[in-house]
Amino acid sequence: MNTPRPEYPRPHFDRSSRWLNLNGQWDFAHGPDDPSDFPETIVVPFPWEHPDSGVMAHWLPTAWYRRHLDRPADWAGERTILHFGAVHHHATVWVNGQLAVEHEGGYLPFEADITDLLDSSGAGTLVVRVQAPADKRFIPHGKQRSLPADDYDGCAFTPSSGIWQTVWLEPRPPEYISQLDLRPTPALDGIEVTVTGPAPVRIEIPGVVVREYDELSGPVTLPIPEPRLWSPEDPYLYDVVVTAGEDTVRGYTGLRKVEWQGTNLLLNGVPTYVRGVLDQGFWPSAGHAAPSDEALRRDIELAREAGFNLVRKHIKLEDPRWLYWADRLGMLVWAEPPSTGRFTEEAVAAFEDVTAGMVARDGNHPSIVIWAAYNEEWGLDWDVPGDPAKQDAVRRAYRLIRVLDASRPVVDNSGWAHVETDLVDWHYYDDDATSWAAVVDRLINTADGSFPVRLGPDFVVDKVIAAPGFDPGDKPQLNGEYGGGSTSVERGWHLRWQTQELRRHPRNAGYIYTELYDIEHETVGIYTYDRRTKDLGGTVPSDVHAETTLIVDVTPHAPGRDLVVSSGSVTVPVRVSHHGSEPLVGTLHWSLSGAAASAPIDAKPFAVTDPIEVVVPVSRSGRLHLWITDSAGTTVARSFADVTQY
């Protein structure tokens, strides 16, 4: 068969000139005991619960993998290293019956030097035991369903157990590069390089600069005389080739700076409004594991086609290839670790381990502009405001990330109950257009940080933005999750009206719409689970999330009945929300049932215009179309409102 996921798995730490992909058919067996026979096969790297694995086994606590290894002949004299991208959850690895490595934690890579475990010809039998507990509440697992159930079981999905990222072999010398950290200089005129490995060291940015060092005791800076910055519009990447002793690794990064000034995100000093979407990293055929590299790329393209400039990868450390495509395609990323389900010292320690590993693994990616730690008190028993120990856990996670990487803002506990954070975000869901607008206005523009949160069908609690002792007043603020409606048409209607309310308030730095695509029973995506477009009742996501949008200044009634009016004429106030870098001078156009008119507009960046009165005659029910053209006649914004005559 063709090798699944054939591409090199970690382009940010690249030894792809010599490697051996071990994906494909492996022998497979169930049960807690060392099997005498492997009666099945499984396709690696796909979780055993999902179709692409060929197994489809559910709530299987222990399973065994086996395959034969043959070291390439030209690797003789070098060390042979076995790599696992990720295995959920507890992996024990033997080669020729001897223990090679044991690793706990389902999201981080691990490796083993198996040179001395192979036979004299370089061959061996690889056996992997994977233990995947049904009760996941005390381990980092994110949205994988647990038994007993997490408190958030209603939005959890089929688990992804076993080997779910690429397995491969690489040769390397006895002394080798173990870490390569790349960060842009504060002035964006060079790359700060930190190498953990032997000496001497040669560092090259191909075509730009070469430096050689007898030894390194800390970071060094390679200047770039004519720097080309990384941005969503121009995602330019610099390769960095490091040779330390006899080992060579190729990495890359981009020159960009992330800051928050006042109420705005600044990317390379340019104000950038966050138009984000939640992406949970599941696929219908393989759960946590993407079916192909193209699927990873396509998800980013789908987000961009829907008008988003940022993806919040929700409580999952994604396959590094996804981050690679975000870097290449210019998509901003909010990254966060998988959550636990309950609060214990052991659970907190496991969460902190995966959080530190996230920063170490992914810190070179220029696309990541926000780190986050906890989400909605998950793993904190919903009681951060009432428990100093849980406040300390949140504070410690925030500081852990800040110590490891001070170049990006950090969210401590996304949603509410912030303890110590660089960004104040809030999650608010409400299917009532009137109360949605009122609560959003209050949260953004007043000091009242309380709001209702529905934790279950009949369980609503009041949450607060700030935990005791934290003052959010001087922090940038943005919405971290929102969305409403049960059917696709309702989802489209709420998408249009709720987003315009967020765009109404200049103090709001942006938003994260929930979500990009459906997952199993959760049908709230812009796309279906298999990434097809939906009928959203005429709402076009790329219009809603455009750089320039229209705010129809009315309180809508219901889908298909935004405005209910009698015969005669109707006056609709319309504002313009513009987040371009330059003023927009153009024309607002409108039409209803054949009647059309226009008016000039002059929209300033990161501001909302005064209302423009759109007056239209109403002779029958119809759709009021609104659009803006710039001075060149190009359409830059679109919206509509459904008018019902009674």
Side-chain angles (χ1 to χ4, degrees), residues 133-186:
D135 186 353
K136 299 175 176 62
R137 294 173 298 167
F138 306 99
I139 63 174
H141 64 286
K143 287 290 193 82
Q144 298 184 69
R145 179 164 288 114
S146 173
L147 188 69
D150 286 303
D151 294 334
Y152 53 87
D153 184 67
C155 57
F157 313 112
T158 301
S160 291
S161 303
I163 299 171
W164 67 276
Q165 288 185 28
T166 292
V167 186
W168 75 102
L169 294 177
E170 285 179 1
R172 71 184 183 204
E175 295 185 326
Y176 59 92
I177 300 166
S178 59
Q179 185 75 19
L180 174 61
D181 294 328
L182 307 173
R183 299 291 187 273
T185 58

Side-chain angles (χ1 to χ4, degrees), residues 26 82-87 93 108-110 126 128 163 166-168:
W26 292 39
L82 173 65
H83 292 273
F84 292 84
V87 180
V93 182
L108 292 172
F110 61 98
L126 169 63
V128 182
I163 299 171
T166 292
V167 186
W168 75 102

